[in-house]
Amino acid sequence: MTWPYKDLIAIADLKREEIATILDMASSFKEISKRDIKKVPTLRGKTVVLLFYEPSTRTRLSFELAAKRLSADTTALSASGSSFTKGETIMDAAYNVMAMAPDCIVIRYPYAGIPRKMAQLLPCSVINAGDGYHEHPTQALLDMFTMKERFGNLEGLKVAIVGDIMHSRVARSNVYGLRKMGAQVVLVAPRTLLPPGVDTWGVDVATELDPVIPDSDVIMMLRVQKERLSRQFFSGEREYSFFYGLNRSRVEKMKPDAVIMHPGPMNRGVEITCDAADSARSMILDQVENGVAIRMTLLYLSLGGSVNVD
Amino acid sequence: MWIKGGLVFDPAGNVQEKADIYIKDGIIAGVYPGGSKNSDETVIDADGLWVLPGLVDMHVHLRDPGFEYKEDISSGSMAAAAGGVTTLACMANTDPVNDNPSVTNYILEKARQTSLVRILPVGAVTKGLKGKELAEMGLMKKAGIVAVSDDGNPIEDASVLRMALEYASTFGLRVISHCQDKSMSASGVMNEGALSSLLGLPGIPPVSEDLMVARDVLVSEYTGIPIHITHVSTQGSIEIIRQAKQRGVKVTCDVTPHHLLLTEEKVRTYDTNAKMYPPLRGEQDRLALIAALKEGLIDCIATDHAPHAKDEKDLDFDIAPFGMIGLQTLLPSIMKIHLDHGIDFMDLLACATVHPARILGIDGGEIREGARADIALVDPQKKWIFTEQEVRSKSKNSAFLGDAFTGRVVQTMVQGKTVYRAD
């Protein structure tokens, strides 16, 4: 069986079985990174271009390593080093890149919708590495993979996502994915950081973190984007961390086997303290490790790989 | 010249009858319901056609002077003629802004030289549309403006609005108000709601419009001076206007065809042609507008024709400019509303002819002896698809592209002179 999609733009596009397939396959790709020689010839001769129009450390590195470990050739372009600063539009940039015949473009972009447009207009594969506050599908997949590794199954798992839901593509992608996989999601944030229409998302919503803690199997903290302060979404870091920060006393109230996740980058002392981030419950570095495996899986599938691998 | 055998609509007199029309010297010299004698003069055979007064579009952006790459007076007038629009009011947000009589004179002179239809400028309320100092309304009125508006920008300061109403009324000018509380709609690019959250696009909450409509209505009521609210898009605004009208406030309003026919669903594909201000709203708001239209609460249908070049629209949804063209889809949209929602065609026609003419204090929009011979002949059965090839504007940005319509303008006359004929 071949993978039906040339692109990965949104978790909203995927069926439950397809997500399950990706999570299954990621285990075998993860093994490659544990080898002494971390390279397989699967994508030899394929070219992957990384177009990053927003700052990124983890995602970019993760995609680049994923491609290289599959023997693809990669090249990365960031906004500051590109014609973007000369006023070239993103679609012009995309057509120019396309003229050099890549097999896959990985795109991160500050506004929603562009990866979808590129996928429709370009013949190569397009993988969304985050667009505006629309979706960040590979992040959600690596998060789900991490949860599945830890708990064996996502069905019935209770996942709390805490923080700036309104402006989070990570939250959106996770909500779509986790719901499809049968997990129970609760979103926790002050009213100002909950998106309009969140009541239609099919998840629970809470404005208080404390009552949610003892019930949750996973507590996923989102980064507080300090630039939001200027729009007065909340009063300040002190009050935010008091009500929504994950600190030692909250960690102590978690279920015995519950875990802590964070997509990074963290603001230590704001949404998460060292006691939480560095505790035994923290899966934050597992998420990063699994990111490479998930992205290897997606590159492999999008570039025409068969879904039946061992 | 005769137009014979057509079904004639006169929304001013609410008369619909088969009649022959005689045109002489740019004026309708006679309307003959029972048919007429043969004569030697030219006859246009209108058998099977509807004979309508030319449409009056009170909200158009011609982009001239300053943005001629988007549209100019000539190209805009060609689009108008093709849409059966024989009179249009053009907004002041040009470069330079039409806030002084020199710009007004420029527009009217260029219109005289290059326009196929009657163009009536709208002057700015405030200098530079900045919302601070009043523009030279009196001198512009003498030069030929028919109303004042800072359209594109709301008048944020309530005391400026009050002064504007009082000052404009001094010169017999109506203020046309663009209602938007920018402090609430700051970075928004589409209607706020579940869909904006799904798409990851910043939202414009309906209440940001309602708030300004409420304020404008109250200031109008307090001063006793009429105000016209343009491009109303929300159920909330409709409720406020209904209550105001019931207690006798002299508020009038218009709605665009796109807010009557389209919803935010058009944005789902991130199509920037569906990005406009006010944004396309939800189905509930759209149905509220339709119901208000049925109820007679909405005075006018106006296009907010807003051309933008492909280069500008072909950008990310977040940064592309707001607006779509509308002159050629005004009549087809009215037909669609008539057919889809069972609203009397004559009532809809009045909203795009005699009502805006009265609000602007101009003649036009009627078919009777002595009226301007501004006429649109329409084939009511014609089924067609609106494509880019049809567009006469310089810009092609329409959310109706690809849509099927029934009813099409086949010939347009301005003062008896044919300015458009379908191929």
Side-chain angles (χ1 to χ4, degrees), chain A residues 12 84 89-91 109-114 116-117 120 131-134 172 176 195-198 200-201 231, chain B residues 183-184 186-187 192-203 269-270 272 311 313-319:
Chain A
F84 195 58
T89 69
I90 177 65
M91 285 315 295
Y109 199 68
Y111 301 118
I114 287 295
R116 171 92 62 204
K117 189 170 177 184
Q120 281 159 356
D131 62 328
Y133 45 89
H134 173 226
R172 279 171 179 72
Y176 301 138
V198 70
T200 64
W201 287 15
R231 281 283 311 276
Chain B
S183 69
M184 282 200 89
S187 58
E192 179 177 295
L195 187 60
S196 66
S197 295
L198 176 83
L199 296 174
L201 294 173
T269 56
Y270 298 93
T272 55
D311 295 336
K313 273 290 190 181
D314 212 7
L315 291 172
D316 320 323
F317 200 92
D318 277 83
I319 53 183

Side-chain angles (χ1 to χ4, degrees), chain B residues 384-403:
Chain B
W384 63 297
I385 290 171
F386 183 62
T387 60
E388 273 197 31
Q389 288 68 43
E390 300 277 353
V391 177
R392 304 280 172 126
S393 286
K394 283 190 184 176
S395 301
K396 319 288 179 195
N397 54 308
S398 170
F400 287 130
L401 287 173
D403 286 2

